[in-house]
Amino acid sequence: MSKRVAILFSGSGSNMVALIDSMTGDHPARPVVAVCNNADAGGLAKAEARGVPTEVIDHRPFKGDRAAFESVLNETLARHAPDIICFAGFMRIFTDTFISHWQGRMINIHPSLLPKYRGLNTHARALEAGEAEAGCTVHEVTLELDDGPILGQARVPVLPGDTPQTLAARVLEQEHILYPAVLRRFAAGDRTPIRLP
Ligand code: GAR
């Protein structure tokens, strides 16, 4: 039976779209819901156009009460009974309670070659440090932020004249290749890391 995948995103959702579009044919998983914390997110229409149910849970009314936000998120996820949760640019930090509940079923994409540059502004920091290469990582989500076993990494060169924007665009192209490749493997029960190129 196909694995049920929930995808969580916050913005344009290009990784969410790449994941949805990959789950066809003999793929061992299918998308069951796309969850977003921002009603204005461009990605919502893209999920709907692909026939994937969407759920919006605005985090702002829960300001200062992360547990209450997560309780609604948990109820929402439970209704869709996912086997796997893919974080695809979902810009919220979770409590240990939430992570512990879903641990082993959650994967995330991060725009750096972890363990380097956890957190935000990864491309600007990589450029500032004079890195010769950058990239992205898909990893299992564990209690430590942007940590957890690495399931795949893709590398790109840093080019002369790169800005955070040009580097981000080059890395994003690789994200769209790496994340679907890792999800396919993960859904089949294989956690062997993928290295690209
Ligand atoms: C992606 O680059 C993803 O790696 C990053 O947000 C972007 C979302 O773009 N995630 C993080 O920074 C997580 N800390 P998208 O909405 O077009 O997929």
Side-chain angles (χ1 to χ4, degrees):
M1 217 171 69
S2 284
K3 292 275 164 54
R4 300 171 60 82
V5 176
I7 306 168
L8 274 60
F9 70 102
S10 293
S12 70
S14 70
N15 276 290
M16 177 266 298
V17 165
L19 291 175
I20 289 175
D21 289 349
S22 73
M23 286 185 261
T24 59
D26 68 351
H27 197 290
R30 289 292 182 269
V32 296
V33 67
V35 181
C36 186
N37 62 314
N38 171 14
D40 300 325
L44 284 166
K46 297 176 196 167
E48 280 154 19
R50 286 163 172 78
V52 176
T54 58
E55 302 267 10
V56 177
I57 308 168
D58 186 348
H59 62 277
R60 286 167 298 191
F62 299 98
K63 195 170 182 324
D65 192 352
R66 215 177 275 282
F69 171 73
E70 290 179 358
S71 145
V72 175
L73 180 57
N74 267 328
E75 283 165 22
T76 305
L77 287 170
R79 266 193 283 115
H80 295 275
D83 301 300
I84 298 171
I85 299 173
C86 293
F87 294 99
F90 191 70
M91 305 308 268
R92 307 300 305 160
I93 290 175
F94 291 99
T95 64
D96 289 0
T97 312
F98 181 90
I99 302 282
S100 301
H101 180 71
W102 297 101
Q103 195 156 327
R105 293 175 276 178
M106 294 174 297
I107 60 179
N108 178 49
I109 189 151
H110 183 75
S112 78
L113 294 172
L114 292 173
K116 285 186 169 176
Y117 310 116
R118 298 185 167 102
L120 299 175
N121 304 318
T122 54
H123 303 301
R125 288 155 62 206
L127 289 175
E128 200 159 304
E131 299 284 0
E133 60 177 12
C136 52
T137 304
V138 179
H139 63 96
E140 280 188 57
V141 177
T142 57
L143 292 172
E144 295 301 317
L145 181 68
D146 297 331
D147 201 1
I150 289 177
L151 300 168
Q153 278 189 323
R155 290 163 192 278
V156 302
V158 172
L159 300 179
D162 258 341
T163 63
Q165 290 72 30
T166 60
L167 184 55
R170 192 175 313 117
V171 171
L172 193 61
E173 278 179 25
Q174 294 303 309
E175 295 186 36
H176 298 160
I177 298 167
L178 179 70
Y179 208 177
V182 169
L183 174 60
R184 178 181 264 272
R185 223 178 234 201
F186 188 78
D190 182 353
R191 294 176 189 209
T192 317
I194 293 175
R195 306 276 168 195
L196 299 176

